[in-house]
Amino acid sequence: MEPESAVTTCYRHPRVECHVRCVRCERYICPDCMREAAVGHQCPDCVREGARSVRQARTLVGGRVSVVPVVTYALIALNVLAYLAEVVRPEVVDRFAMVGAGLLGPDGGHYVWTQPYPADFTPEGVAGGEWYRLLTGAFLHLPPTEGMFGVVHVVMNMAVLWNLGRVVEPMLGRVHYLALYLLSALGGSVLVLLLAPSDPTVGASGALFGVGAAYYVVSRRVGADMRGVNRFMTGLLLWLVVSALFTSWQGHLGGLLAGGLVALAFAWAPRDGRRVLVQAGACAGLVVLLAVLAAVKVSDLTGGGIPQ
């Protein structure tokens, strides 16, 4: 036992006299090293060790809990930046919109796909090897040259993303939410390619329908009060039907189906060591399925050849 006259100093600052011990390791700590604990104070080393041993909270699907919907904000920023790029350079829409199959004429005009096509025409779109359009089209919207509806298009979609994303992202976690959003966008584009390859489409709607489907699936999984969720889903499906008159219903339906499948895999994966494997496998399987469907369709459009 130390004599009462002995001077005690901080274990991290030997020149600083102190009389308080860490409640975990019982080393002396000075005021600069004191960390508030439930009872007494702890030293910085014990606080770090405790943080490593504390089990991190997870969402229902196994994602990290995220209070701030960073991915939603980032997606909105990307869409807004893409729209500003359209304003500055309108040709961005022609270059990156989702087009399954089209022809670029010698006069620079865009023409409906036909096979075989004239020798002085160039294939464009996914059938022309521009596979990136399957995703880039989901970040573009009708340009301002389309009149007031061009501006309304991006404003409406971003408003939906703002309201819906801030609910669904915390339910899934950032990584799961981003994967679901992108796969929903891809699913929408692939269904456009399959059913309406000559129609140029833009917009985040396909991805938003997928996020809406996830909201329904996960809400049911957690046993939430479904009255409000059911009203939302009814409105979403009603909009799918009504919007078919003037928008790409194929993109909406494809996003809804892809998002629903991903959400089902996320929500009902086993809650053990296999969960990540099952969820990743489901996403990879969906990507492979969509890739095969797209490749088969392009092969059919081009008469058997798949452009590189």
Side-chain angles (χ1 to χ4, degrees), residues 4 127 162 169 183 222 229 233 274 296 306:
E4 292 188 12
W162 170 267
E169 183 176 344
L183 286 172
V222 301
V229 180
M233 203 63 192
R274 297 171 297 165
V296 170
I306 299 179

Side-chain angles (χ1 to χ4, degrees), residues 44-231:
D45 291 340
C46 287
V47 170
R48 282 194 293 270
E49 181 63 28
R52 284 195 294 267
S53 63
V54 173
R55 188 175 182 179
Q56 296 294 320
R58 294 283 177 174
T59 66
L60 170 76
V61 303
R64 289 189 177 184
V65 174
S66 174
V67 178
V68 180
V70 174
V71 176
T72 295
Y73 296 157
L75 290 171
I76 291 174
L78 285 174
N79 279 274
V80 171
L81 288 174
Y83 196 74
L84 293 176
E86 296 176 32
V87 174
V88 176
R89 299 180 66 88
E91 61 270 22
V92 167
V93 178
D94 290 334
R95 187 70 180 87
F96 295 100
M98 170 53 204
V99 176
L103 293 173
L104 181 64
D107 58 352
H110 302 279
Y111 296 87
V112 175
W113 174 266
T114 181
Q115 177 68 21
Y117 51 83
D120 54 347
F121 280 66
T122 304
E124 62 178 350
V126 179
E130 298 169 342
W131 296 91
Y132 56 84
R133 290 179 182 264
L134 291 170
L135 274 181
T136 55
F139 291 91
L140 300 175
H141 289 82
L142 291 176
T145 54
E146 295 291 330
M148 181 55 67
F149 189 68
V151 178
V152 171
H153 187 211
V154 66
V155 170
M156 287 182 60
N157 276 351
M158 293 306 98
V160 173
L161 180 55
W162 170 267
N163 289 287
L164 190 57
R166 289 186 299 161
V167 175
V168 178
E169 183 176 344
M171 296 170 73
L172 299 180
R174 293 172 183 171
V175 174
H176 290 77
Y177 174 71
L178 180 61
L180 179 128
Y181 187 94
L182 294 177
L183 286 172
S184 298
L186 184 61
S189 294
V190 170
L191 197 60
V192 170
L193 172 64
L194 294 178
L195 301 181
S198 296
D199 294 347
T201 60
V202 291
S205 301
L208 294 177
F209 269 82
V211 175
Y215 176 49
Y216 177 82
V217 170
V218 178
S219 295
R220 285 190 62 87
R221 185 70 175 91
V222 301
D225 184 349
M226 294 300 293
R227 288 175 295 181
V229 180
N230 287 335
R231 285 195 297 269

